[in-house]
Amino acid sequence: MSIVCVAPLMAEGVATALDGVADTRLLPADIDDLPALLRALAPDAIVADRECPAARAYAGEHAVPIFVVPVEADGGDMPSPERLRALVVGSLLAVQVRG
């Protein structure tokens, strides 16, 4: 799984929440070769801390679930680490069942 983040603190929080559930790779969202890195890593899912066109494009092309969890709440509820873990695990299991 890849975590694409602008805010490193958020990436660490997500990685901690998924510890023991998924192998995570922390990738900065603003690097030029992000599409190439995602292709090389071939993640099963992507978590991003804001909308990221490169991550969204990869997810669309490879039928990989993407979760966008904004760093700043805009009045909506931000998922707890436990909720995020449940969402990611549920998506990964659904992909395995379909595959």
Coordinates of all heavy atoms in Angstrom, one line a residue:
M1 N 0.8 -1.2 0.0 CA 0.0 0.0 0.0 C 0.9 1.2 0.0 O 1.9 1.2 0.6 CB -0.9 0.0 1.3 CG -1.4 1.4 1.5 SD -2.5 1.4 2.8 CE -3.8 0.4 2.2
S2 N 0.5 2.2 -0.7 CA 1.2 3.5 -0.8 C 0.4 4.6 -0.1 O -0.8 4.7 -0.2 CB 1.5 3.9 -2.2 OG 2.4 3.0 -2.8
I3 N 1.1 5.4 0.7 CA 0.5 6.6 1.3 C 1.1 7.8 0.7 O 2.3 8.0 0.8 CB 0.7 6.6 2.8 CG1 0.2 5.3 3.5 CG2 0.1 7.8 3.5 CD1 0.6 5.1 4.9
V4 N 0.3 8.5 -0.1 CA 0.8 9.7 -0.8 C 0.4 10.9 0.0 O -0.7 11.2 0.2 CB 0.2 9.7 -2.2 CG1 0.7 11.0 -3.0 CG2 0.5 8.5 -3.0
C5 N 1.4 11.6 0.5 CA 1.1 12.7 1.4 C 2.0 14.0 1.1 O 3.1 13.9 0.8 CB 1.4 12.3 2.8 SG 0.2 11.1 3.4
V6 N 1.3 15.1 1.4 CA 2.0 16.4 1.5 C 2.5 16.6 2.9 O 3.5 17.2 3.1 CB 1.1 17.5 1.0 CG1 1.8 18.9 1.2 CG2 0.8 17.3 -0.5
A7 N 1.7 16.2 3.8 CA 2.0 16.4 5.3 C 2.6 15.1 5.9 O 1.8 14.1 6.1 CB 0.7 16.7 6.0
P8 N 3.9 15.1 6.1 CA 4.5 13.9 6.6 C 3.9 13.3 7.9 O 3.9 12.1 8.2 CB 6.0 14.3 6.9 CG 6.1 15.5 6.0 CD 4.8 16.2 5.9
L9 N 3.4 14.2 8.8 CA 2.8 13.8 10.1 C 1.6 12.9 9.8 O 1.4 11.9 10.5 CB 2.5 15.0 10.9 CG 2.5 14.8 12.4 CD1 3.9 14.5 12.8 CD2 2.1 16.1 13.1
M10 N 0.8 13.3 8.8 CA -0.4 12.5 8.5 C 0.0 11.2 8.0 O -0.6 10.2 8.3 CB -1.2 13.3 7.5 CG -2.6 12.6 7.2 SD -2.4 11.4 5.9 CE -4.1 11.2 5.5
A11 N 1.0 11.1 7.2 CA 1.5 9.9 6.6 C 1.9 8.9 7.7 O 1.6 7.7 7.7 CB 2.7 10.1 5.7
E12 N 2.6 9.4 8.7 CA 3.1 8.6 9.8 C 1.9 8.1 10.6 O 1.8 6.9 11.0 CB 4.0 9.4 10.8 CG 5.3 9.7 10.2 CD 6.2 8.5 9.9 OE1 6.0 7.5 10.6 OE2 7.0 8.6 8.9
G13 N 0.8 8.9 10.8 CA -0.4 8.5 11.5 C -1.1 7.4 10.8 O -1.5 6.4 11.4
V14 N -1.2 7.5 9.4 CA -1.8 6.5 8.6 C -1.0 5.2 8.7 O -1.6 4.1 8.9 CB -2.1 7.0 7.2 CG1 -2.5 5.8 6.3 CG2 -3.0 8.1 7.1
A15 N 0.3 5.3 8.6 CA 1.2 4.1 8.6 C 1.0 3.4 9.9 O 0.9 2.2 10.0 CB 2.6 4.5 8.4
T16 N 0.9 4.2 11.0 CA 0.7 3.6 12.4 C -0.6 2.9 12.5 O -0.7 1.8 13.0 CB 0.9 4.7 13.4 OG1 2.2 5.3 13.4 CG2 0.6 4.1 14.8
A17 N -1.6 3.5 11.9 CA -3.0 2.9 12.0 C -3.0 1.6 11.2 O -3.8 0.7 11.5 CB -4.0 3.9 11.4
L18 N -2.2 1.5 10.2 CA -2.2 0.3 9.3 C -1.1 -0.7 9.7 O -1.0 -1.7 9.1 CB -2.1 0.7 7.9 CG -3.3 1.5 7.3 CD1 -3.0 2.0 5.9 CD2 -4.6 0.7 7.3
D19 N -0.4 -0.4 10.8 CA 0.7 -1.3 11.2 C 0.1 -2.7 11.5 O -0.9 -2.8 12.2 CB 1.4 -0.7 12.4 CG 2.6 -1.4 12.8 OD1 3.3 -1.9 11.9 OD2 2.9 -1.6 14.0
G20 N 0.7 -3.7 11.0 CA 0.3 -5.0 11.2 C -0.8 -5.5 10.2 O -1.2 -6.6 10.2
V21 N -1.3 -4.5 9.5 CA -2.4 -4.8 8.5 C -1.9 -4.8 7.1 O -2.3 -5.5 6.2 CB -3.6 -3.9 8.7 CG1 -4.6 -4.1 7.6 CG2 -4.2 -4.0 10.1
A22 N -1.0 -3.8 6.8 CA -0.5 -3.6 5.5 C 0.9 -3.1 5.5 O 1.3 -2.4 6.5 CB -1.4 -2.5 4.8
D23 N 1.7 -3.5 4.5 CA 3.0 -2.9 4.4 C 2.8 -1.5 3.7 O 2.2 -1.5 2.6 CB 3.9 -3.8 3.5 CG 4.2 -5.1 4.2 OD1 4.3 -5.1 5.4 OD2 4.3 -6.1 3.5
T24 N 3.3 -0.5 4.3 CA 3.1 0.8 3.7 C 4.4 1.5 3.2 O 5.5 1.2 3.7 CB 2.5 1.8 4.8 OG1 3.4 1.8 5.9 CG2 1.1 1.3 5.2
R25 N 4.3 2.3 2.2 CA 5.3 3.1 1.6 C 4.9 4.5 1.6 O 3.8 4.9 1.1 CB 5.6 2.7 0.2 CG 5.9 1.2 0.0 CD 7.3 1.0 -0.4 NE 7.6 -0.3 -0.9 CZ 8.0 -1.3 -0.2 NH1 8.3 -1.1 1.1 NH2 8.2 -2.5 -0.7
L26 N 5.7 5.4 2.2 CA 5.3 6.8 2.3 C 6.0 7.5 1.1 O 7.2 7.5 0.9 CB 5.8 7.4 3.6 CG 5.4 6.7 4.9 CD1 6.0 7.4 6.1 CD2 3.9 6.5 5.0
L27 N 5.1 8.2 0.3 CA 5.6 8.9 -0.9 C 5.1 10.3 -0.8 O 3.9 10.6 -0.6 CB 5.0 8.2 -2.1 CG 5.2 6.7 -2.3 CD1 4.4 6.2 -3.5 CD2 6.7 6.5 -2.5
P28 N 6.0 11.3 -1.1 CA 5.6 12.7 -1.2 C 4.8 12.9 -2.4 O 5.0 12.4 -3.5 CB 6.9 13.4 -1.2 CG 8.0 12.4 -1.6 CD 7.4 11.1 -1.3
A29 N 3.7 13.7 -2.3 CA 2.7 13.9 -3.4 C 3.3 14.8 -4.4 O 2.8 14.8 -5.6 CB 1.4 14.5 -2.8
D30 N 4.3 15.6 -4.1 CA 4.7 16.7 -5.0 C 6.0 16.3 -5.8 O 6.6 17.2 -6.4 CB 5.0 18.0 -4.2 CG 6.0 17.8 -3.1 OD1 6.4 16.7 -2.8 OD2 6.3 18.8 -2.5
I31 N 6.3 15.0 -5.9 CA 7.5 14.7 -6.7 C 7.1 14.4 -8.1 O 6.0 13.9 -8.4 CB 8.2 13.4 -6.1 CG1 7.3 12.2 -6.0 CG2 8.8 13.8 -4.8 CD1 8.0 11.0 -5.6
D32 N 8.0 14.8 -9.0 CA 7.7 14.6 -10.5 C 7.5 13.2 -10.9 O 6.7 13.0 -11.9 CB 8.8 15.3 -11.3 CG 8.8 16.8 -11.1 OD1 7.8 17.4 -10.8 OD2 9.9 17.4 -11.3
D33 N 8.2 12.3 -10.3 CA 8.1 10.9 -10.8 C 7.2 10.0 -10.0 O 7.3 8.8 -10.0 CB 9.5 10.3 -10.9 CG 10.2 10.2 -9.5 OD1 9.7 10.9 -8.6 OD2 11.2 9.5 -9.4
L34 N 6.2 10.6 -9.4 CA 5.2 9.8 -8.6 C 4.5 8.8 -9.5 O 4.4 7.6 -9.0 CB 4.2 10.8 -7.9 CG 3.1 10.0 -7.1 CD1 3.8 9.3 -5.9 CD2 2.2 11.1 -6.5
P35 N 4.1 9.1 -10.7 CA 3.4 8.0 -11.5 C 4.4 6.8 -11.7 O 4.0 5.7 -11.6 CB 3.1 8.8 -12.8 CG 3.0 10.2 -12.4 CD 4.0 10.4 -11.4
A36 N 5.6 7.1 -12.0 CA 6.6 6.0 -12.2 C 6.8 5.2 -10.9 O 6.9 4.0 -11.0 CB 7.9 6.6 -12.7
L37 N 6.9 5.9 -9.8 CA 7.0 5.2 -8.5 C 5.8 4.3 -8.2 O 6.0 3.2 -7.8 CB 7.2 6.2 -7.4 CG 8.6 6.7 -7.1 CD1 8.6 7.8 -6.1 CD2 9.5 5.6 -6.7
L38 N 4.6 4.8 -8.5 CA 3.4 4.0 -8.2 C 3.4 2.8 -9.1 O 3.1 1.7 -8.7 CB 2.2 4.9 -8.4 CG 1.9 5.9 -7.3 CD1 0.8 6.8 -7.7 CD2 1.6 5.2 -6.0
R39 N 3.8 3.0 -10.4 CA 3.9 1.8 -11.3 C 4.9 0.8 -10.8 O 4.6 -0.4 -10.9 CB 4.2 2.3 -12.7 CG 3.0 2.9 -13.5 CD 3.3 3.1 -14.9 NE 4.5 3.9 -15.2 CZ 4.5 5.2 -15.3 NH1 3.3 5.9 -15.0 NH2 5.6 5.9 -15.5
A40 N 6.0 1.3 -10.3 CA 7.1 0.3 -9.9 C 6.6 -0.4 -8.6 O 6.9 -1.6 -8.4 CB 8.4 1.1 -9.6
L41 N 6.0 0.3 -7.7 CA 5.6 -0.3 -6.4 C 4.3 -1.1 -6.5 O 4.1 -2.1 -5.8 CB 5.3 0.8 -5.4 CG 6.6 1.6 -4.9 CD1 6.2 2.7 -4.1 CD2 7.6 0.6 -4.2
A42 N 3.5 -0.8 -7.5 CA 2.2 -1.5 -7.7 C 1.4 -1.7 -6.4 O 1.1 -2.9 -6.0 CB 2.5 -2.9 -8.4
P43 N 1.0 -0.6 -5.8 CA 0.3 -0.8 -4.5 C -1.1 -1.4 -4.7 O -1.7 -1.3 -5.8 CB 0.2 0.6 -4.0 CG 0.2 1.5 -5.3 CD 1.1 0.8 -6.2
D44 N -1.6 -2.1 -3.6 CA -2.9 -2.7 -3.6 C -4.0 -1.6 -3.3 O -5.2 -1.8 -3.6 CB -3.0 -3.8 -2.6 CG -2.1 -4.9 -3.0 OD1 -2.1 -5.3 -4.2 OD2 -1.4 -5.5 -2.1
A45 N -3.5 -0.5 -2.7 CA -4.4 0.6 -2.3 C -3.6 1.8 -2.1 O -2.4 1.7 -1.9 CB -5.2 0.3 -1.0
I46 N -4.2 3.0 -2.2 CA -3.5 4.3 -2.0 C -4.3 5.1 -1.0 O -5.6 5.2 -1.1 CB -3.4 5.0 -3.3 CG1 -2.6 4.2 -4.3 CG2 -2.8 6.4 -3.1 CD1 -2.6 4.8 -5.7
V47 N -3.6 5.7 -0.1 CA -4.2 6.7 0.9 C -3.5 8.0 0.6 O -2.3 8.1 0.5 CB -4.0 6.3 2.3 CG1 -4.6 7.4 3.3 CG2 -4.7 4.9 2.6
A48 N -4.3 9.1 0.3 CA -3.7 10.4 0.1 C -4.3 11.4 1.0 O -5.4 11.3 1.5 CB -4.0 10.8 -1.4
D49 N -3.5 12.4 1.4 CA -4.0 13.4 2.3 C -4.6 14.6 1.7 O -5.0 15.5 2.3 CB -2.8 13.8 3.3 CG -1.7 14.6 2.6 OD1 -1.7 14.7 1.3 OD2 -0.8 15.1 3.3
R50 N -4.7 14.6 0.4 CA -5.5 15.6 -0.4 C -5.6 15.0 -1.8 O -5.0 14.0 -2.1 CB -4.8 16.9 -0.4 CG -3.4 16.9 -1.1 CD -2.7 18.2 -1.0 NE -2.6 18.6 0.4 CZ -2.2 19.7 0.9 NH1 -1.8 20.6 0.1 NH2 -2.1 20.0 2.2
E51 N -6.4 15.7 -2.6 CA -6.6 15.2 -4.0 C -5.2 15.2 -4.7 O -4.5 16.2 -4.6 CB -7.6 16.1 -4.7 CG -8.1 15.5 -5.9 CD -8.8 14.1 -5.8 OE1 -9.6 13.9 -4.9 OE2 -8.4 13.2 -6.5
C52 N -4.9 14.1 -5.3 CA -3.6 14.0 -6.0 C -3.9 13.4 -7.4 O -4.2 12.2 -7.5 CB -2.7 13.1 -5.2 SG -1.1 12.7 -6.0
P53 N -3.8 14.2 -8.4 CA -4.1 13.7 -9.8 C -3.3 12.4 -10.2 O -3.9 11.5 -10.8 CB -3.8 14.9 -10.7 CG -4.0 16.1 -9.8 CD -3.5 15.6 -8.4
A54 N -2.0 12.4 -9.8 CA -1.2 11.2 -10.2 C -1.7 10.0 -9.5 O -1.8 8.9 -10.1 CB 0.3 11.5 -9.9
A55 N -2.0 10.1 -8.2 CA -2.5 8.9 -7.5 C -3.9 8.5 -8.0 O -4.2 7.3 -8.2 CB -2.5 9.2 -6.0
R56 N -4.7 9.5 -8.3 CA -6.1 9.2 -8.8 C -6.0 8.5 -10.1 O -6.7 7.6 -10.4 CB -6.9 10.5 -8.9 CG -8.2 10.4 -9.4 CD -9.3 10.0 -8.5 NE -9.5 10.7 -7.3 CZ -10.1 10.2 -6.3 NH1 -10.7 9.0 -6.4 NH2 -10.3 10.9 -5.2
A57 N -5.1 9.0 -11.0 CA -4.9 8.4 -12.3 C -4.5 6.9 -12.2 O -5.0 6.0 -12.9 CB -4.0 9.2 -13.2
Y58 N -3.5 6.7 -11.4 CA -3.0 5.3 -11.2 C -4.1 4.4 -10.7 O -4.3 3.3 -11.2 CB -1.8 5.3 -10.2 CG -1.3 3.9 -10.0 CD1 -0.3 3.3 -10.8 CD2 -1.8 3.1 -9.0 CE1 0.1 2.0 -10.7 CE2 -1.4 1.8 -8.8 CZ -0.5 1.3 -9.6 OH -0.1 0.0 -9.5
A59 N -4.8 4.9 -9.7 CA -5.9 4.1 -9.1 C -6.9 3.8 -10.2 O -7.4 2.6 -10.2 CB -6.5 4.8 -7.9
G60 N -7.3 4.7 -11.0 CA -8.3 4.5 -12.0 C -7.8 3.5 -13.1 O -8.5 2.6 -13.5
E61 N -6.5 3.6 -13.5 CA -6.0 2.8 -14.5 C -5.8 1.3 -14.1 O -5.9 0.4 -14.9 CB -4.6 3.3 -15.0 CG -4.7 4.6 -15.8 CD -3.3 5.2 -16.0 OE1 -2.3 4.5 -15.8 OE2 -3.2 6.4 -16.3
H62 N -5.5 1.2 -12.8 CA -5.2 -0.2 -12.3 C -6.3 -0.7 -11.3 O -6.0 -1.8 -10.7 CB -3.8 -0.1 -11.5 CG -2.7 0.3 -12.5 ND1 -2.1 -0.6 -13.3 CD2 -2.2 1.5 -12.7 CE1 -1.2 0.0 -14.0 NE2 -1.2 1.3 -13.7
A63 N -7.4 -0.1 -11.3 CA -8.5 -0.6 -10.4 C -8.1 -0.8 -9.0 O -8.4 -1.8 -8.4 CB -9.2 -1.8 -11.0
V64 N -7.4 0.2 -8.5 CA -6.9 0.2 -7.1 C -7.7 1.1 -6.3 O -8.0 2.3 -6.7 CB -5.4 0.6 -7.1 CG1 -4.9 0.8 -5.7 CG2 -4.5 -0.4 -7.8
P65 N -8.2 0.7 -5.1 CA -8.9 1.7 -4.2 C -8.0 2.8 -3.8 O -6.9 2.6 -3.5 CB -9.4 0.8 -3.0 CG -8.7 -0.5 -3.1 CD -8.0 -0.6 -4.5
I66 N -8.6 4.0 -3.8 CA -7.9 5.2 -3.3 C -8.8 5.9 -2.2 O -10.0 6.0 -2.4 CB -7.6 6.2 -4.4 CG1 -6.8 7.4 -3.9 CG2 -8.8 6.6 -5.2 CD1 -6.1 8.2 -4.9
F67 N -8.2 6.2 -1.1 CA -8.8 6.9 0.0 C -8.2 8.3 0.1 O -7.0 8.4 0.4 CB -8.7 6.1 1.3 CG -9.2 4.7 1.2 CD1 -8.4 3.7 0.8 CD2 -10.5 4.5 1.4 CE1 -8.8 2.4 0.7 CE2 -11.0 3.2 1.3 CZ -10.2 2.1 0.9
V68 N -9.0 9.3 0.0 CA -8.5 10.7 0.2 C -8.9 11.1 1.6 O -10.1 11.3 1.8 CB -9.0 11.6 -0.9 CG1 -8.4 13.0 -0.7 CG2 -8.5 11.1 -2.3
V69 N -8.0 11.4 2.5 CA -8.3 11.8 3.8 C -7.6 13.1 4.0 O -6.4 13.2 4.2 CB -7.7 10.8 4.8 CG1 -8.0 11.2 6.3 CG2 -8.2 9.4 4.5
P70 N -8.4 14.2 3.9 CA -7.8 15.6 4.0 C -7.2 15.8 5.4 O -7.7 15.4 6.4 CB -9.0 16.5 3.7 CG -10.2 15.7 3.9 CD -9.8 14.3 3.7
V71 N -6.1 16.5 5.3 CA -5.4 16.9 6.6 C -6.3 17.9 7.4 O -6.4 17.8 8.6 CB -4.0 17.5 6.3 CG1 -3.4 18.0 7.6 CG2 -3.1 16.5 5.6
E72 N -6.8 18.9 6.7 CA -7.7 19.8 7.4 C -9.1 19.4 7.1 O -9.6 19.2 6.0 CB -7.5 21.3 6.8 CG -6.1 21.8 6.9 CD -5.3 21.5 5.7 OE1 -5.9 21.2 4.6 OE2 -4.1 21.6 5.8
A73 N -9.9 19.3 8.3 CA -11.3 19.0 8.1 C -12.0 20.2 7.6 O -11.8 21.3 8.0 CB -11.8 18.6 9.5
D74 N -13.0 19.9 6.7 CA -13.8 21.0 6.2 C -15.2 21.0 6.8 O -16.2 21.3 6.1 CB -13.8 21.0 4.6 CG -14.4 19.7 4.2 OD1 -14.8 18.8 5.0 OD2 -14.6 19.5 2.9
G75 N -15.3 20.7 8.0 CA -16.6 20.6 8.7 C -17.1 19.2 8.7 O -18.1 18.9 9.4
G76 N -16.6 18.3 7.8 CA -17.1 17.0 7.8 C -16.3 16.1 8.8 O -15.3 16.6 9.4
D77 N -16.7 14.9 9.0 CA -16.0 14.0 9.9 C -14.8 13.4 9.3 O -14.9 12.9 8.1 CB -17.0 12.9 10.3 CG -18.1 13.4 11.2 OD1 -17.9 14.4 11.9 OD2 -19.2 12.8 11.2
M78 N -13.7 13.5 10.0 CA -12.5 12.8 9.5 C -12.5 11.4 10.1 O -12.9 11.2 11.2 CB -11.3 13.5 9.9 CG -11.0 14.8 9.2 SD -9.5 15.6 9.5 CE -8.3 14.3 9.0
P79 N -12.2 10.4 9.3 CA -12.2 9.0 9.8 C -11.2 8.8 10.9 O -10.1 9.3 10.8 CB -12.0 8.1 8.6 CG -11.3 9.0 7.6 CD -11.8 10.4 7.9
S80 N -11.5 8.1 11.9 CA -10.6 7.8 13.0 C -9.6 6.8 12.4 O -9.8 6.1 11.3 CB -11.3 7.1 14.2 OG -11.8 5.8 13.8
P81 N -8.4 6.6 13.0 CA -7.5 5.6 12.5 C -8.1 4.2 12.4 O -7.9 3.5 11.4 CB -6.3 5.6 13.5 CG -6.4 7.0 14.1 CD -7.9 7.3 14.1
E82 N -9.0 3.8 13.3 CA -9.6 2.5 13.3 C -10.6 2.4 12.1 O -10.6 1.4 11.5 CB -10.4 2.3 14.6 CG -9.5 2.2 15.8 CD -9.0 3.5 16.4 OE1 -9.6 4.6 16.0 OE2 -8.0 3.5 17.2
R83 N -11.3 3.5 11.8 CA -12.2 3.5 10.7 C -11.5 3.4 9.4 O -11.8 2.7 8.5 CB -13.1 4.8 10.8 CG -14.0 5.0 9.6 CD -15.3 4.1 9.8 NE -16.2 4.4 8.7 CZ -16.7 3.4 7.9 NH1 -16.4 2.2 8.2 NH2 -17.5 3.7 6.9
L84 N -10.4 4.2 9.3 CA -9.6 4.1 8.1 C -9.0 2.7 7.9 O -9.1 2.2 6.8 CB -8.4 5.1 8.2 CG -7.5 5.1 7.0 CD1 -8.2 5.5 5.7 CD2 -6.3 6.1 7.2
R85 N -8.5 2.1 8.9 CA -8.0 0.7 8.8 C -9.1 -0.2 8.4 O -8.9 -1.0 7.5 CB -7.5 0.3 10.2 CG -6.9 -1.1 10.2 CD -6.2 -1.5 11.5 NE -6.9 -1.2 12.6 CZ -6.5 -0.3 13.6 NH1 -5.4 0.3 13.5 NH2 -7.2 -0.1 14.7
A86 N -10.3 -0.1 8.9 CA -11.4 -0.9 8.5 C -11.8 -0.7 7.0 O -12.1 -1.7 6.3 CB -12.7 -0.7 9.4
L87 N -11.8 0.5 6.6 CA -12.1 0.8 5.2 C -11.0 0.2 4.2 O -11.4 -0.4 3.2 CB -12.1 2.3 4.9 CG -13.3 3.1 5.5 CD1 -13.1 4.6 5.4 CD2 -14.6 2.7 4.8
V88 N -9.8 0.4 4.6 CA -8.7 -0.2 3.7 C -8.8 -1.7 3.7 O -8.7 -2.3 2.6 CB -7.3 0.3 4.2 CG1 -6.2 -0.4 3.5 CG2 -7.2 1.8 4.0
V89 N -8.9 -2.3 4.9 CA -8.9 -3.8 4.9 C -10.1 -4.3 4.2 O -10.0 -5.3 3.4 CB -8.9 -4.3 6.4 CG1 -9.2 -5.8 6.5 CG2 -7.5 -4.0 7.0
G90 N -11.3 -3.7 4.4 CA -12.5 -4.1 3.6 C -12.3 -4.0 2.1 O -12.7 -4.9 1.4
S91 N -11.7 -2.9 1.7 CA -11.5 -2.8 0.2 C -10.5 -3.8 -0.3 O -10.7 -4.4 -1.4 CB -10.9 -1.4 -0.1 OG -11.9 -0.4 0.1
L92 N -9.5 -4.1 0.4 CA -8.5 -5.1 0.0 C -9.1 -6.5 -0.1 O -8.9 -7.3 -1.0 CB -7.2 -5.1 0.9 CG -6.4 -3.8 0.8 CD1 -5.3 -3.8 1.8 CD2 -5.9 -3.5 -0.6
L93 N -9.9 -6.8 0.9 CA -10.5 -8.1 1.0 C -11.6 -8.2 -0.2 O -11.7 -9.3 -0.8 CB -11.2 -8.4 2.3 CG -10.3 -8.6 3.5 CD1 -11.0 -8.7 4.8 CD2 -9.4 -9.8 3.3
A94 N -12.3 -7.2 -0.4 CA -13.3 -7.2 -1.5 C -12.6 -7.4 -2.9 O -13.1 -8.2 -3.7 CB -14.0 -5.9 -1.6
V95 N -11.4 -6.8 -3.1 CA -10.7 -7.0 -4.3 C -10.2 -8.5 -4.4 O -10.3 -9.1 -5.5 CB -9.4 -6.1 -4.4 CG1 -8.5 -6.5 -5.5 CG2 -9.9 -4.6 -4.5
Q96 N -9.7 -9.1 -3.3 CA -9.3 -10.5 -3.3 C -10.4 -11.4 -3.6 O -10.3 -12.4 -4.3 CB -8.7 -10.8 -2.0 CG -7.3 -10.2 -1.7 CD -6.7 -10.5 -0.4 OE1 -7.4 -11.2 0.5 NE2 -5.5 -10.1 -0.1
V97 N -11.6 -11.1 -3.1 CA -12.8 -12.0 -3.3 C -13.2 -11.9 -4.8 O -13.5 -13.0 -5.4 CB -14.0 -11.6 -2.4 CG1 -15.2 -12.3 -2.8 CG2 -13.6 -11.9 -0.9
R98 N -13.2 -10.7 -5.4 CA -13.6 -10.6 -6.8 C -12.5 -11.2 -7.7 O -12.8 -11.6 -8.8 CB -13.7 -9.1 -7.1 CG -15.1 -8.6 -6.7 CD -15.2 -7.2 -7.1 NE -14.8 -6.4 -5.9 CZ -14.4 -5.2 -5.9 NH1 -14.4 -4.5 -7.0 NH2 -14.1 -4.6 -4.7
G99 N -11.2 -11.1 -7.3 CA -10.1 -11.6 -8.1 C -10.0 -13.0 -8.1 O -10.0 -13.9 -8.8

